[in-house]
C-alpha cells in the first residue's frame, strides 16, 4: 500500500482552482468517457445505485487499463499525461480525472489492470489517495464515486448525470450505456446514442481519415454548430462561422480549452473550418442549386419557397437566369429581369413585396414596378434585396399608388385642382383606400413611393404626395 496526496503542496492551490473551473458538477462523465476512449474501450457503462444514505456512481469500461507506472506517472500527478504527444487523445492536459471532485465526493476508487497487474486507488474526501495491489486480475477500468445524497437530492443528481452523459457522449465512437437502479424512478440499461446529424433539408456529409462532417443550409444567423472529437462533444453553440450554414464536425485535431468551456481555436481549428468552408462552397452549394432548379422546373412552389428561405448571400445564390422569384400575379422573375427595375426604381425604398393574389401587387406590376410575392417581410424572396444591395424589403402598402381609386370623390378632384393652382402640393393629391391595416383610421399620409407611407406629424420632410383616406368619415361626409 502506498499513501500519498493527489498533488504536492505547491500544486494544491492550483488543484483547488482547477476543480472550481468545472462549474457543471456533472461534466465529469465527459472526462471519464474520454479517458475510456483514450484506453481504446469499445463499451462504457455508467451505473447509478443507492447505498443507504449515499449515492454510488460507477463508470466501467473494457479498455486497456493502467499499470503502476501509468497510475503514478499520469493519474496521480497533476498536469501530466501519457497523451501529450498523441493528437488522437483528447485528454492531453491530464486534468480530466480531477473534474469528478467537483461533486465533493466522500470517496473515489479506481480499479484497473494491465499486463497481469491489478491495482486499486482510493481517494478520500480531502483528495489524499492510497494505492493497493490486488491479487485478482482486473479487466479494463472501473471508477466508483460515492456521494452523500439520498431521496430527492439523489434523484436530482442521477438525472443530471444521465442528461450530461447524453449531451456530451451521444455521438461517442464506442457503445455507451446508462442505468439507474433506484426504486420507483430509476431506468433500465439503455444505450446512449444519436445519429451524427443536423436539422437541415439540404446538407452534405463528408468523411475521411480523422474527419467527418455534416454541413447544411439553415437560413438562420447565427446557426447551430457542433465541434467533436471521436464523437465526444467539445462545444455546441450558435455562431456565424459561415452565415446561414449549420454544421457538425468531428476531427482528431480539435481540442478542448483547458477549462473545457470552448474549443481550442488554434491552427488546427482554422484548418478544420477552412475544410468546412470548402464543403459549403462546393458540394453543398451545388446540391442546393440542383434542388432549386428541379423545384422550379416541376412547379413545386412549396419546395421553391423553402429552398429560397434557407439561402444566404455568399453561400447559396440563385443563377441570374433561373425564374425562381414569384410575383403576386403568379409570374416568376429571374435576377436578371429584376435587377434593372429594382436598381432604377427603388434605390431609396428597397424591394417591394405583396401577398399572393394582392390587388395592389397586381396594380403595381401593371404600372411597371417589380413586386415579389410573400406573406411577410421575412419571406424567402427577401433574398433579392440582399443579393442586389437594394436595402430593406418594404411591404407594398395598402395605399393605392398613382391616383387609385380610378374615380375619386368629387371633393378629392376639386381639392387637387385647388392645390395645384396654388402650388401647395406640387407632387399631387391622391385618394386611396387605406384598408384595415395600421393606418386604416388615419385621414392622410405622405408617400414618396410604393411601400413607404409616412405619418405626416412625425416627418419633417414634406416631399412626396399627400394621400387621403377616402374611407375616412370626414372625407365621406364632404364627398356627400
Amino acid at each position: 500500500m502506498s499513501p500519498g496526496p493527489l498533488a504536492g503542496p505547491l500544486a494544491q492551490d492550483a488543484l483547488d482552482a482547477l476543480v472550481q473551473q468545472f462549474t457543471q458538477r456533472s461534466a465529469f462523465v465527459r472526462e471519464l468517457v474520454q479517458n475510456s476512449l483514450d484506453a481504446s474501450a469499445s463499451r462504457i457503462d455508467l451505473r447509478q445505485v443507492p447505498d443507504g444514505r449515499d449515492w454510488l456512481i460507477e463508470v466501467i469500461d473494457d479498455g486497456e487499463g493502467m499499470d503502476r507506472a501509468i497510475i503514478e506517472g499520469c493519474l496521480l500527478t497533476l498536469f501530466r499525461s501519457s497523451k501529450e504527444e498523441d493528437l488522437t487523445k483528447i485528454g492531453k492536459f491530464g486534468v480530466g480525472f480531477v473534474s469528478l471532485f467537483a461533486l465533493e465526493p466522500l470517496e473515489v476508487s479506481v480499479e484497473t489492470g494491465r499486463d497481469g497487474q491489478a491495482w486499486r486507488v482510493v481517494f478520500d474526501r480531502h483528495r489524499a489517495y492510497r494505492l493497493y495491489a490486488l491479487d485478482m486480475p482486473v479487466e479494463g477500468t472501473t471508477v466508483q464515486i460515492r456521494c452523500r445524497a439520498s431521496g430527492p437530492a439523489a434523484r436530482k443528481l442521477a438525472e443530471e448525470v444521465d442528461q450530461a452523459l447524453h449531451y456530451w457522449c451521444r455521438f461517442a465512437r464506442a457503445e455507451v450505456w446508462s442505468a439507474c437502479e433506484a426504486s420507483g424512478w430509476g431506468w433500465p440499461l439503455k444505450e446512449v446514442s444519436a445519429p451524427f446529424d443536423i436539422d437541415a433539408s439540404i446538407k452534405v456529409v463528408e468523411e475521411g481519415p480523422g474527419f467527418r462532417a455534416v454541413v447544411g443550409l439553415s437560413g438562420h444567423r447565427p446557426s447551430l454548430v457542433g465541434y467533436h472529437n471521436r464523437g465526444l462533444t467539445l462545444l455546441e453553440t450558435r455562431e456565424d462561422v459561415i452565415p446561414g450554414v449549420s454544421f457538425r464536425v468531428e476531427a482528431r485535431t480539435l481540442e478542448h480549452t483547458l477549462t473545457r468551456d470552448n474549443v481550442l481555436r488554434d491552427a488546427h481549428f482554422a484548418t478544420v473550418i477552412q475544410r468546412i468552408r470548402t464543403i459549403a462552397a462546393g458540394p453543398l452549394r451545388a446540391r442546393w442549386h440542383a434542388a432549386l432548379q428541379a423545384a422550379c422546373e416541376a412547379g413545386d412552389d412549396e419546395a421553391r419557397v423553402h429552398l429560397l428561405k434557407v439561402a444566404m448571400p455568399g453561400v447559396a445564390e440563385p443563377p441570374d437566369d433561373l425564374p425562381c422569384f414569384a410575383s403576386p400575379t403568379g409570374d416568376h422573375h429571374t435576377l436578371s429581369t429584376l435587377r434593372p427595375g429594382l436598381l432604377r426604381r427603388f434605390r431609396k425604398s428597397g424591394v417591394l413585396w405583396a401577398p399572393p393574389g394582392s390587388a395592389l401587387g397586381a396594380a403595381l406590376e401593371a404600372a411597371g414596378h417589380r413586386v415579389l410575392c410573400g406573406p411577410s417581410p421575412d419571406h424567402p424572396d427577401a433574398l433579392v434585396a440582399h443579393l442586389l444591395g437594394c436595402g430593406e424589403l418594404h411591404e407594398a402598402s395598402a395605399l393605392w399608388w398613382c391616383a387609385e381609386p380610378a374615380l375619386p370623390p368629387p371633393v378629392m378632384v376639386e381639392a387637387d385642382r385647388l392645390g395645384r393652382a396654388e402650388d401647395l402640393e406640387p407632387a399631387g393629391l391622391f385618394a386611396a383606400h387605406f384598408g384595415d391595416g395600421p393606418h386604416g383610421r388615419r385621414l392622410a399620409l405622405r408617400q414618396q413611393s410604393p411601400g413607404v407611407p409616412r405619418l405626416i406629424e412625425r416627418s419633417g420632410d414634406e416631399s412626396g404626395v399627400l394621400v387621403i383616406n377616402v374611407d375616412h368619415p370626414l372625407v365621406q361626409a364632404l364627398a356627400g
Side-chain angles (χ1 to χ4, degrees):
M1 180 178 68
S2 302
L6 180 62
L10 294 179
Q12 193 61 48
D13 289 344
L15 178 57
D16 291 339
L18 184 59
V19 170
Q20 294 169 11
Q21 296 278 0
F22 293 94
T23 54
Q24 294 183 340
R25 62 177 183 170
S26 57
F28 76 92
V29 298
R30 174 190 62 210
E31 306 298 331
L32 294 186
V33 170
Q34 172 181 304
N35 287 342
S36 297
L37 293 175
D38 290 344
S40 302
S42 61
R43 174 163 176 155
I44 304 155
D45 286 61
L46 188 147
R47 296 177 179 174
Q48 304 187 74
V49 296
D51 185 16
R53 297 175 59 193
D54 297 340
W55 188 252
L56 299 182
I57 305 171
E58 286 187 332
V59 178
I60 308 161
D61 72 46
D62 62 356
E64 297 170 348
M66 294 178 281
D67 57 22
R68 180 165 186 165
I70 295 174
I71 293 171
E72 293 186 332
C74 301
L75 179 66
L76 303 178
T77 304
L78 192 62
F79 298 124
R80 283 201 56 196
S81 172
S82 61
K83 310 154 193 171
E84 290 172 354
E85 301 302 324
D86 188 349
L87 287 177
T88 68
K89 312 297 189 181
I90 59 177
K92 63 182 294 185
F93 292 117
V95 299
F97 182 79
V98 174
S99 64
L100 58 83
F101 289 99
L103 287 171
E104 299 183 353
L106 299 175
E107 182 182 272
V108 175
S109 68
V110 180
E111 287 192 1
T112 188
R114 188 170 186 173
D115 298 331
Q117 301 180 20
W119 300 91
R120 186 168 188 254
V121 187
V122 180
F123 301 86
D124 64 23
R125 62 190 306 169
H126 303 294
R127 307 181 200 133
Y129 70 85
R130 291 181 181 274
L131 176 62
Y132 303 86
L134 301 179
D135 296 330
M136 299 295 292
V138 173
E139 296 292 334
T141 299
T142 298
V143 179
Q144 185 183 81
I145 308 164
R146 178 180 294 273
C147 300
R148 178 56 53 83
S150 60
R155 180 170 184 171
K156 179 180 178 181
L157 176 59
E159 292 175 347
E160 180 184 333
V161 168
D162 185 63
Q163 289 171 6
L165 186 68
H166 279 76
Y167 178 77
W168 295 108
C169 308
R170 65 193 186 277
F171 307 122
R173 294 286 185 125
E175 290 186 25
V176 180
W177 296 79
S178 172
C180 179
E181 299 177 9
S183 176
W185 56 265
W187 53 88
L189 192 65
K190 60 183 180 180
E191 188 170 8
V192 176
S193 63
F196 193 80
D197 203 358
I198 59 173
D199 183 15
S201 58
I202 299 295
K203 56 191 172 186
V204 295
V205 177
E206 182 170 310
E207 293 195 52
F211 179 92
R212 67 171 170 167
V214 53
V215 186
L217 291 168
S218 69
H220 301 300
R221 298 191 64 181
S223 297
L224 181 67
V225 299
Y227 304 97
H228 309 268
N229 187 307
R230 283 179 303 158
L232 288 183
T233 298
L234 304 176
L235 177 69
E236 284 185 336
T237 186
R238 289 189 178 275
E239 59 181 332
D240 266 343
V241 180
I242 308 173
V245 173
S246 180
F247 62 83
R248 194 176 296 284
V249 59
E250 177 188 87
R252 69 181 186 87
T253 55
L254 291 176
E255 301 273 0
H256 253 143
T257 56
L258 182 61
T259 54
R260 302 321 205 237
D261 61 353
N262 206 332
V263 62
L264 190 63
R265 299 178 186 250
D266 56 5
H268 296 300
F269 175 84
T271 299
V272 169
I273 294 302
Q274 184 55 49
R275 190 164 179 178
I276 297 295
R277 294 184 189 279
T278 300
I279 295 171
L284 182 63
R285 178 179 294 182
R287 180 164 296 183
W288 179 83
H289 278 173
L292 182 62
Q293 179 87 38
C296 292
E297 291 176 353
D300 188 343
D301 225 34
E302 183 177 349
R304 178 192 64 82
V305 166
H306 173 73
L307 289 165
L308 288 176
K309 184 176 181 180
V310 299
M312 192 69 69
V315 179
E317 302 177 6
D320 279 2
D321 58 352
L322 182 64
C324 58
F325 297 100
S327 75
T329 58
D331 294 330
H332 288 80
H333 300 298
T334 66
L335 281 181
S336 59
T337 57
L338 283 171
R339 188 174 283 114
L342 287 166
L343 291 178
R344 181 177 68 253
R345 297 178 183 275
F346 301 133
R347 183 175 298 276
K348 292 183 179 180
S349 63
V351 183
L352 298 177
W353 70 269
S358 166
L360 173 59
L364 289 169
E365 281 195 293
H369 301 287
R370 298 292 189 267
V371 186
L372 300 180
C373 178
S376 75
D378 295 326
H379 186 268
D381 286 353
L383 177 68
V384 172
H386 298 286
L387 294 177
L388 301 180
C390 294
E392 299 179 2
L393 184 74
H394 292 286
E395 177 181 3
S397 167
L399 307 181
W400 283 70
W401 182 246
C402 297
E404 291 289 349
L407 297 174
V411 68
M412 299 299 301
V413 176
E414 183 63 17
D416 183 56
R417 186 188 66 78
L418 291 173
R420 291 176 183 274
E422 298 295 332
D423 201 27
L424 298 177
E425 291 291 341
L429 182 70
F430 295 92
H433 295 293
F434 283 23
D436 297 325
H439 306 305
R441 299 178 64 86
R442 305 196 68 85
L443 175 62
L445 291 169
R446 285 195 179 276
Q447 191 170 16
Q448 287 184 319
S449 62
V452 194
R454 293 181 292 111
L455 303 183
I456 296 174
E457 63 268 25
R458 295 184 181 179
S459 174
D461 183 4
E462 294 300 318
S463 62
V465 300
L466 185 64
V467 187
I468 305 296
N469 183 5
V470 296
D471 298 318
H472 194 278
L474 176 60
V475 176
Q476 288 292 316
L478 291 172

